[in-house]
Amino acid sequence: MFLDDFIRMCFDGFEQGWHERNGGNLSYRMKDEDVEAVKDKLHDTGRHYDMNFSAPELKGAYFTITGSGKYMRNVPLAPEKNIGIIRIDDAGTGYDILWGLEDGAKPTSEIPTHLMNHIARMKATDGACRVIYHAHPANITALTYTLPPEAKAYTRVLWQSETECAVVFPEGVGVVDWMVPGSIDIGIETAKLITKYRAVVWTFHGIFGSGVDFDETFGLVHTIEKAAEIYLKAKSAGIVRTITDDEFKALADAFGVTLNPEFLG
């Protein structure tokens, strides 16, 4: 069931060390069959909240989402207190809490970025993308102190750090330079990039990843984090050689992927 998968991903991220205190958040755009499966849990709580932006593309959509100030480590222990199900209202300007987020809790403060990213990925994938995930992996964050905030710089370092990276994210990764989290502005900037890239790094902060399901999304972030760790270790030891562009092209041919040409040469 989707709720089990949602809860598992929250705790998997915590066990990786990506969710210190109340850091990070997760949202899932539910399918019709998901809504049907939990219809007995959903009810009008009278808790309606306006959003400070308009999302008509999402009107009537249901989301499972983590709560503001909640700890990922507590999600399996008390789901109803730490996550919730919301429905975007018919105007696309607010939402109703239908389950969970008990004791007056609200969805993550990053909800503008989540919803903007959902809209962007819906358009980019013809509706296939359903998961948006924000985490604070240590190596990705450390990497942001060593590189200029440019997509090419990050993509090449990650591609060259582990062979599978160019296959897992052949489009590369985007980068947003430091901005105040939770704001409309950072949501807009992230959504611009996540239309093109499934993962966007937030400088000095962490990463946003997206995917069609929980496994794909978690696997994407996990791969990027591992590549960042390899790079930092190799850099500290002294890099003497790496994967070449010709080898990238051979890899792409072998696995039937198209590498973003902006990041070759």
Side-chain angles (χ1 to χ4, degrees):
M1 187 181 188
F2 77 94
L3 268 177
D4 296 328
D5 293 336
F6 188 100
I7 291 166
R8 177 191 173 191
M9 184 160 164
C10 290
F11 194 69
D12 281 351
F14 168 73
E15 288 197 312
Q16 290 293 326
W18 301 347
H19 298 293
E20 74 293 338
R21 200 173 180 272
N22 63 317
N25 25 77
L26 175 66
S27 65
Y28 169 66
R29 183 170 58 87
M30 296 164 61
K31 300 176 182 178
D32 291 343
E33 53 263 39
D34 298 325
V35 178
E36 180 65 21
V38 296
K39 65 180 182 181
D40 292 341
K41 296 178 180 286
L42 307 182
H43 62 280
D44 182 4
T45 64
R47 299 169 63 197
H48 177 87
Y49 296 96
D50 291 328
M51 303 186 298
N52 52 358
F53 68 100
S54 178
E57 300 92 337
L58 298 177
K59 60 185 180 180
Y62 291 76
F63 290 88
T64 306
I65 193 165
T66 50
S68 178
K70 301 301 181 180
Y71 292 39
M72 291 290 200
R73 68 186 295 266
N74 291 334
V75 171
L77 302 177
E80 296 89 347
K81 293 182 180 295
N82 294 284
I83 66 176
I85 294 176
I86 65 172
R87 179 186 180 276
I88 307 302
D89 64 26
D90 292 336
T93 57
Y95 60 87
D96 295 285
I97 297 176
L98 302 180
W99 173 84
L101 295 173
E102 294 178 348
D103 302 324
K106 295 177 65 175
T108 171
S109 62
E110 302 284 4
I111 191 171
T113 302
H114 274 263
L115 296 183
M116 290 179 190
N117 278 301
H118 275 290
I119 293 170
R121 291 307 296 168
M122 283 169 59
K123 293 177 179 177
T125 65
D126 196 25
C129 177
R130 291 188 174 273
V131 181
I132 299 292
Y133 181 43
H134 174 48
H136 298 167
N139 292 291
I140 291 171
T141 306
L143 184 66
T144 69
Y145 290 83
T146 72
L147 296 172
E150 300 166 359
K152 184 172 183 176
Y154 278 76
T155 297
R156 287 190 64 84
V157 158
L158 294 168
W159 278 359
Q160 290 174 332
S161 294
E162 190 173 22
T163 296
E164 72 167 358
C165 286
V167 177
V168 174
F169 49 99
E171 75 279 11
V173 298
V175 186
V176 171
D177 205 359
W178 191 90
M179 299 177 71
V180 175
S183 66
I184 294 295
D185 290 341
I186 198 169
I188 292 171
E189 292 305 310
T190 306
K192 287 177 183 177
L193 293 175
I194 213 163
T195 299
K196 183 176 182 180
Y197 309 105
R198 286 172 295 147
V200 177
V201 175
W202 277 8
T203 302
F204 314 142
H205 188 147
I207 189 169
F208 261 83
S210 64
V212 299
D213 56 29
F214 298 106
D215 283 346
E216 181 179 277
T217 309
F218 190 87
L220 174 66
V221 173
H222 201 183
T223 301
I224 294 171
E225 167 66 355
K226 185 175 182 180
E229 180 182 9
I230 292 169
Y231 171 77
L232 293 171
K233 287 179 175 178
K235 185 178 181 181
S236 67
I239 297 173
V240 296
R241 60 190 297 265
T242 189
I243 305 170
T244 67
D245 280 8
D246 285 342
E247 289 168 336
F248 279 138
K249 292 172 184 176
L251 182 70
D253 288 342
F255 283 86
V257 299
T258 301
L259 299 180
N260 190 333
E262 297 176 32
F263 303 141
L264 294 173

